[in-house]
Short mmCIF file of all heavy atoms in Angstrom, two decimals:
data_model
loop_
_atom_site.label_atom_id
_atom_site.label_comp_id
_atom_site.label_asym_id
_atom_site.label_seq_id
_atom_site.Cartn_x
_atom_site.Cartn_y
_atom_site.Cartn_z
N LYS A 15 4.58 0.85 8.48
CA LYS A 15 5.75 1.01 7.64
C LYS A 15 6.84 1.83 8.32
O LYS A 15 7.96 1.92 7.82
CB LYS A 15 5.36 1.72 6.34
CG LYS A 15 4.42 0.92 5.46
CD LYS A 15 3.98 1.80 4.30
CE LYS A 15 2.99 1.09 3.40
NZ LYS A 15 3.61 0.11 2.53
N ILE A 16 6.51 2.48 9.42
CA ILE A 16 7.50 3.35 10.07
C ILE A 16 8.17 2.55 11.17
O ILE A 16 7.53 2.10 12.12
CB ILE A 16 6.81 4.59 10.67
CG1 ILE A 16 6.06 5.34 9.57
CG2 ILE A 16 7.82 5.51 11.34
CD1 ILE A 16 5.15 6.43 10.10
N THR A 17 9.47 2.37 11.03
CA THR A 17 10.17 1.56 12.01
C THR A 17 11.05 2.41 12.94
O THR A 17 11.43 1.95 14.01
CB THR A 17 11.05 0.50 11.32
OG1 THR A 17 11.90 1.17 10.39
CG2 THR A 17 10.18 -0.51 10.60
N ALA A 18 11.36 3.63 12.53
CA ALA A 18 12.20 4.49 13.39
C ALA A 18 11.36 5.01 14.54
O ALA A 18 10.20 5.37 14.37
CB ALA A 18 12.75 5.66 12.58
N PRO A 19 11.94 5.07 15.74
CA PRO A 19 11.18 5.65 16.85
C PRO A 19 10.96 7.13 16.66
O PRO A 19 11.72 7.81 15.96
CB PRO A 19 12.07 5.38 18.07
CG PRO A 19 13.44 5.15 17.53
CD PRO A 19 13.27 4.62 16.13
N SER A 20 9.90 7.65 17.27
CA SER A 20 9.65 9.08 17.24
C SER A 20 10.81 9.84 17.88
O SER A 20 11.32 9.44 18.94
CB SER A 20 8.37 9.35 18.03
OG SER A 20 8.43 10.63 18.63
N PRO A 21 11.23 10.97 17.28
CA PRO A 21 12.29 11.77 17.91
C PRO A 21 11.94 12.21 19.33
O PRO A 21 12.82 12.36 20.17
CB PRO A 21 12.41 12.99 16.97
CG PRO A 21 11.92 12.49 15.65
CD PRO A 21 10.83 11.49 15.97
N TRP A 22 10.65 12.39 19.60
CA TRP A 22 10.23 12.79 20.95
C TRP A 22 10.50 11.66 21.95
O TRP A 22 11.00 11.89 23.06
CB TRP A 22 8.73 13.14 20.92
CG TRP A 22 8.17 13.77 22.17
CD1 TRP A 22 7.34 13.18 23.09
CD2 TRP A 22 8.35 15.13 22.62
NE1 TRP A 22 7.00 14.08 24.07
CE2 TRP A 22 7.61 15.27 23.81
CE3 TRP A 22 9.07 16.21 22.12
CZ2 TRP A 22 7.56 16.47 24.51
CZ3 TRP A 22 9.02 17.41 22.83
CH2 TRP A 22 8.28 17.54 24.01
N VAL A 23 10.20 10.44 21.54
CA VAL A 23 10.48 9.29 22.42
C VAL A 23 11.98 9.14 22.61
O VAL A 23 12.46 8.92 23.73
CB VAL A 23 9.85 8.01 21.83
CG1 VAL A 23 10.26 6.79 22.65
CG2 VAL A 23 8.33 8.14 21.79
N LYS A 24 12.74 9.30 21.53
CA LYS A 24 14.20 9.17 21.67
C LYS A 24 14.75 10.24 22.60
O LYS A 24 15.65 9.98 23.40
CB LYS A 24 14.87 9.30 20.29
CG LYS A 24 14.70 8.07 19.44
CD LYS A 24 15.36 8.22 18.10
CE LYS A 24 16.87 8.14 18.18
NZ LYS A 24 17.48 8.19 16.84
N ARG A 25 14.18 11.43 22.49
CA ARG A 25 14.71 12.53 23.31
C ARG A 25 14.51 12.28 24.81
O ARG A 25 15.40 12.60 25.62
CB ARG A 25 14.01 13.83 22.89
CG ARG A 25 14.46 15.04 23.68
CD ARG A 25 13.85 16.29 23.09
NE ARG A 25 13.99 17.40 24.00
CZ ARG A 25 13.35 18.55 23.90
NH1 ARG A 25 12.53 18.75 22.87
NH2 ARG A 25 13.52 19.51 24.79
N PHE A 26 13.36 11.71 25.15
CA PHE A 26 13.06 11.59 26.59
C PHE A 26 13.21 10.17 27.15
O PHE A 26 13.11 9.99 28.37
CB PHE A 26 11.67 12.17 26.88
CG PHE A 26 11.66 13.66 26.69
CD1 PHE A 26 11.05 14.24 25.59
CD2 PHE A 26 12.35 14.47 27.57
CE1 PHE A 26 11.10 15.62 25.38
CE2 PHE A 26 12.40 15.84 27.38
CZ PHE A 26 11.78 16.41 26.28
N ALA A 27 13.51 9.21 26.30
CA ALA A 27 13.74 7.85 26.81
C ALA A 27 14.82 7.81 27.89
O ALA A 27 14.71 7.00 28.83
CB ALA A 27 14.09 6.92 25.65
N PRO A 28 15.87 8.66 27.81
CA PRO A 28 16.89 8.60 28.87
C PRO A 28 16.35 8.94 30.26
O PRO A 28 17.02 8.64 31.25
CB PRO A 28 17.92 9.65 28.41
CG PRO A 28 17.78 9.69 26.93
CD PRO A 28 16.30 9.51 26.68
N LEU A 29 15.18 9.53 30.35
CA LEU A 29 14.62 9.81 31.69
C LEU A 29 14.02 8.56 32.34
O LEU A 29 13.78 8.54 33.55
CB LEU A 29 13.54 10.89 31.62
CG LEU A 29 13.93 12.26 31.07
CD1 LEU A 29 12.83 13.27 31.38
CD2 LEU A 29 15.26 12.74 31.64
N ILE A 30 13.77 7.53 31.53
CA ILE A 30 13.20 6.29 32.09
C ILE A 30 14.29 5.59 32.90
O ILE A 30 15.41 5.40 32.40
CB ILE A 30 12.68 5.37 30.96
CG1 ILE A 30 11.54 6.08 30.21
CG2 ILE A 30 12.22 4.03 31.52
CD1 ILE A 30 11.06 5.36 28.97
N PRO A 31 13.99 5.26 34.15
CA PRO A 31 15.01 4.62 34.98
C PRO A 31 15.65 3.43 34.29
O PRO A 31 14.97 2.62 33.63
CB PRO A 31 14.22 4.20 36.23
CG PRO A 31 13.07 5.16 36.29
CD PRO A 31 12.71 5.46 34.86
N ALA A 32 16.98 3.33 34.43
CA ALA A 32 17.76 2.29 33.73
C ALA A 32 17.18 0.90 34.03
O ALA A 32 16.84 0.59 35.17
CB ALA A 32 19.21 2.36 34.18
N GLY A 33 17.08 0.10 32.98
CA GLY A 33 16.58 -1.26 33.14
C GLY A 33 15.10 -1.33 33.48
O GLY A 33 14.60 -2.38 33.91
N GLY A 34 14.39 -0.22 33.28
CA GLY A 34 13.01 -0.14 33.73
C GLY A 34 12.04 -1.00 32.93
O GLY A 34 12.35 -1.50 31.84
N ARG A 35 10.85 -1.11 33.50
CA ARG A 35 9.76 -1.86 32.87
C ARG A 35 8.88 -0.82 32.19
O ARG A 35 8.39 0.10 32.85
CB ARG A 35 9.01 -2.61 33.97
CG ARG A 35 7.96 -3.53 33.49
CD ARG A 35 7.54 -4.47 34.64
NE ARG A 35 6.56 -5.41 34.14
CZ ARG A 35 5.25 -5.17 34.16
NH1 ARG A 35 4.78 -4.07 34.70
NH2 ARG A 35 4.42 -6.05 33.66
N VAL A 36 8.70 -0.97 30.87
CA VAL A 36 7.97 0.06 30.13
C VAL A 36 6.76 -0.55 29.42
O VAL A 36 6.73 -1.75 29.13
CB VAL A 36 8.88 0.76 29.08
CG1 VAL A 36 10.04 1.46 29.75
CG2 VAL A 36 9.37 -0.22 28.03
N LEU A 37 5.81 0.31 29.15
CA LEU A 37 4.61 -0.07 28.41
C LEU A 37 4.57 0.71 27.11
O LEU A 37 4.66 1.94 27.13
CB LEU A 37 3.37 0.25 29.25
CG LEU A 37 2.01 0.15 28.54
CD1 LEU A 37 1.73 -1.29 28.11
CD2 LEU A 37 0.90 0.65 29.48
#
Side-chain angles (χ1 to χ4, degrees):
K15 295 173 182 283
I16 302 170
T17 54
S20 149
W22 189 252
V23 174
K24 285 180 74 176
R25 179 173 166 193
F26 292 106
L29 300 193
I30 297 172
R35 186 166 183 270
V36 298
L37 169 64

